Amino acid sequence: MNRVLILSLLIFTLFSCSSNDENENNEDPILGKWFLFSINSVEVSDCEKKSSIEFNSNGLTISDTHQVAGTNGTDCLNISIIENRWENKGNNLYSFNNIESVIDFSSDGNSFTITSGNVIYKKN
């Protein structure tokens, strides 16, 4: 009897773990906070690398933009924080901040490229 109970618990545990793994694999790869890295193959400044887009599972984005300022170019200003909506339209086509763009994800999932404008964002 004890063997049957232990075997049943083991099988239940295995199915529970595999179910969680499947849910994680079904999440949209764009979810999370991404930081600006480069534009047109040119790495942006450390200040501009503070610029980010956060994609939330509820369909909202928060875009946070930083820009170098000041006469000597050493000031870093947060020039805007914008909330908007995003949508995965399929085939790597996303709509966010009122713009539709094709998004190409890196093989490791730690960066994506907005093909129009050749803009790369990376996760920290």
Side-chain angles (χ1 to χ4, degrees):
M1 183 69 174
N2 284 338
R3 287 183 185 165
V4 172
L5 181 59
I6 291 171
L7 184 59
S8 296
L9 287 173
L10 179 62
I11 291 171
F12 178 75
T13 303
L14 289 174
F15 282 113
S16 296
C17 292
S18 65
S19 175
N20 289 341
D21 291 343
E22 289 172 15
N23 288 339
E24 289 176 6
N25 291 335
N26 289 331
E27 281 191 351
D28 196 299
I30 206 161
L31 291 176
K33 191 169 188 175
W34 301 83
F35 292 88
L36 181 62
F37 180 75
S38 68
I39 300 172
N40 292 323
S41 302
V42 177
E43 193 170 333
V44 298
S45 70
D46 287 341
C47 173
E48 292 166 316
K49 285 182 181 177
K50 293 178 183 179
S51 299
S52 65
I53 300 176
E54 184 171 359
F55 294 87
N56 296 300
S57 60
N58 63 1
L60 293 177
T61 63
I62 300 172
S63 299
D64 187 3
T65 305
H66 289 75
Q67 182 175 346
V68 176
T71 55
N72 56 5
T74 58
D75 296 333
C76 183
L77 298 178
N78 183 333
I79 60 171
S80 69
I81 297 176
I82 300 171
E83 287 189 21
N84 219 313
R85 301 205 55 78
W86 73 273
E87 179 182 0
N88 182 342
K89 297 196 170 230
N91 295 323
N92 288 5
L93 180 65
Y94 285 83
S95 173
F96 59 95
N97 298 345
N98 298 317
I99 300 170
E100 284 190 359
S101 299
V102 174
I103 304 288
D104 290 321
F105 293 93
S106 63
S107 60
D108 64 5
N110 288 326
S111 67
F112 71 76
T113 302
I114 301 173
T115 55
S116 59
N118 195 22
V119 179
I120 296 177
Y121 280 84
K122 291 187 174 188
K123 284 189 176 181
N124 268 356

